[in-house]
Amino acid sequence: MANVGDNASTRLEDVLLIPQSISDINWEEIDLKTSFLNKTLSLPIIINAITGGTKRAARINAKLAKIAKNYNIPMAVGSQTIAIEIPELADTFTIARQENPAGVIIANISAFTKSDSMLKAIDMIEADAIQIHFNIPQELAMLEGDRNFKGVIKNVRELVDNSPVPVIAKEVGFGFSKEAIELLYNAGVRFFDISGAGGTNFIAIEDARQGMFAGSFNSWGIPTAWSLVEALSLEIPICVISSGGIRTALDITKSLALGANYVGMANWFLQLVLNNTDEEVANKLDNLIYCLKASLLMCGAKNIFELQKKPVIILGQTKDYLQARGIDTSLWSARN
Ligand SMILES: Cc1cc2nc3c(=O)[nH]c(=O)nc-3n(C[C@H](O)[C@H](O)[C@H](O)COP(=O)(O)O)c2cc1C
């Protein structure tokens, strides 16, 4: 293996669920409900941070917010920094709240943002939680990107101390290591969106634009399956969101079976609203839900709680990597 995440995969293909021929379950009993921030959600899926700041972004946020409302799932908006700097752009984000007044809406800012700006981001959309994103590789792949990352843990501690809503530490596609999670946990963070490698790749995107890395870092990052297990192996009381390359019902089921509380999907939802009519959007989402229920039933589980009691086998590169990281995966069973 040349690099961590070499093959630009989530490595969820190394995670095996055990098919159960005997599943004493009626389809009608299958229940995908879960709760998040004391609200009941219909599905364990979060529309992850994507956009805001332009007219086109506002239209996308409006469509995403309608989905969030119709399917009773949370939605995170894209980074609000631009609207804090240029308040006239706030409506490209507030549209998400207008479309879904009672829903779970999550704000988004950089982990380096100061507390007063964080409070503006939260107020702007009456957020139920705030994602603080960590994106060093993306910044380094940009000519105009940040170069000074000193003092971030101190800043995170201040953000957590001053936030009226839960703070979610979020990667953007390079995955958190267990060391990073421990540092953030000690700074007071209890919610983690691991956003691993294998999906949207911001090094590749920025490199295609400016060539700072000349293509040499396209495989950088911790694949989603690896980062997820690293987080869960810590056995600390945290809520973990699996994201980065989540595209299918099986990706979702595997993440939940490993022990994730929720999954986040960004590009899947973006492509969904960009390329489909409202009717097609509904059909594709209904099909995703159908496949999710089918996968639970085929595993012999009628809800997420039961799924997380099922054994999961971890093989291949993922097993090797996790073993090298001191994590025993011989018979991985989600946190219980
Ligand atoms: C077009 C686009 C814009 C994004 N903008 C943000 C952002 O503003 N803030 C953030 O935290 N993550 C942002 N992300 C990252 C996603 O939330 C997610 O972590 C990452 O794309 C991996 O998930 P995916 O493979 O499902 O896309 C963006 C992703 C996409 C595709």
Side-chain angles (χ1 to χ4, degrees):
M1 201 183 335
N3 255 323
V4 171
D6 208 19
N7 39 22
S9 157
T10 61
R11 300 311 309 173
L12 282 166
E13 63 271 34
D14 292 337
V15 176
L16 306 186
L17 304 166
I18 314 295
Q20 298 296 349
S21 316
I22 316 286
S23 194
D24 194 16
I25 296 169
N26 178 339
W27 182 266
E28 301 300 324
E29 289 176 282
I30 302 169
D31 183 2
L32 298 172
K33 277 204 292 299
T34 181
S35 69
F36 185 55
L37 309 174
N38 297 323
K39 291 192 183 169
T40 301
L41 302 174
S42 303
L43 300 168
I45 299 173
I46 297 169
I47 302 175
N48 225 344
I50 299 172
T51 198
T54 62
K55 279 195 175 134
R56 183 162 181 257
R59 286 196 295 275
I60 293 171
N61 274 339
K63 286 187 182 184
L64 294 171
K66 277 189 193 134
I67 293 174
K69 184 177 179 200
N70 291 344
Y71 287 83
N72 184 30
I73 56 176
M75 167 184 170
V77 297
S79 177
Q80 293 164 264
T81 307
I82 189 153
I84 293 164
E85 286 166 3
I86 311 170
E88 299 83 69
L89 297 177
D91 58 356
T92 65
F93 295 93
T94 55
I95 184 85
R97 178 53 82 196
Q98 277 160 29
E99 293 286 348
N100 189 11
V104 176
I105 314 256
I106 304 170
N108 186 287
I109 51 160
S110 155
F112 289 91
T113 307
K114 292 292 160 212
S115 288
D116 56 339
S117 295
M118 172 190 70
L119 294 174
K120 284 183 192 160
I122 293 169
D123 279 352
M124 191 187 297
I125 56 169
E126 297 163 65
D128 298 276
I130 184 155
Q131 294 177 331
I132 56 170
H133 65 247
F134 296 77
N135 67 339
I136 288 180
Q138 181 184 9
E139 295 293 339
L140 294 180
M142 290 159 60
L143 200 55
E144 72 282 15
D146 291 337
R147 295 290 182 270
N148 181 0
F149 306 103
K150 265 182 110 68
V152 68
I153 284 294
K154 183 170 172 282
N155 197 57
V156 168
R157 197 181 293 278
E158 278 172 24
L159 294 178
V160 172
D161 286 348
N162 292 315
S163 177
V165 295
V167 171
I168 304 171
K170 178 179 177 297
E171 247 291 346
V172 299
F174 305 105
F176 281 128
S177 66
K178 57 183 172 151
E179 291 82 5
I181 289 181
E182 261 178 327
L183 284 168
L184 293 166
Y185 180 81
N186 291 334
V189 178
R190 296 294 178 266
F191 292 78
F192 293 87
D193 180 334
I194 54 107
S195 215
T200 301
N201 181 341
F202 277 106
I203 284 183
I205 291 169
E206 301 298 353
D207 222 25
R209 198 165 62 93
Q210 292 174 325
M212 297 284 288
F213 285 153
S216 58
F217 280 94
N218 282 357
S219 61
W220 188 258
I222 308 176
T224 295
W226 302 3
S227 177
L228 177 59
V229 176
E230 288 218 13
L232 296 168
S233 73
L234 288 171
E235 296 184 18
I236 49 179
I238 55 175
C239 168
V240 183
I241 298 158
S242 171
S243 79
I246 305 294
R247 305 279 184 264
T248 67
L250 212 45
D251 293 338
I252 299 171
T253 310
K254 286 180 178 183
S255 291
L256 297 172
L258 282 171
N261 299 88
Y262 316 95
V263 301
M265 296 159 83
N267 196 41
W268 190 86
F269 278 107
L270 180 60
Q271 300 310 322
L272 185 74
V273 297
L274 288 182
N275 302 321
N276 294 283
T277 62
D278 287 354
E279 194 186 339
E280 286 165 346
V281 164
N283 287 341
K284 289 197 168 150
L285 268 161
D286 291 346
N287 182 256
L288 182 76
I289 295 167
Y290 177 82
C291 292
L292 198 49
K293 283 187 169 181
S295 64
L296 257 70
L297 195 145
M298 291 189 289
C299 286
K302 59 178 178 296
N303 55 43
I304 298 163
F305 180 74
E306 284 187 10
L307 178 69
Q308 292 182 330
K309 300 260 181 228
K310 302 288 176 192
V312 176
I313 306 292
I314 299 175
L315 294 174
Q317 260 189 39
T318 303
K319 181 181 176 187
D320 294 347
Y321 169 86
L322 291 167
Q323 257 168 15
R325 296 282 283 150
I327 299 167
D328 178 17
T329 58
S330 46
L331 188 65
W332 184 266
S333 177
R335 297 171 294 169
N336 51 43

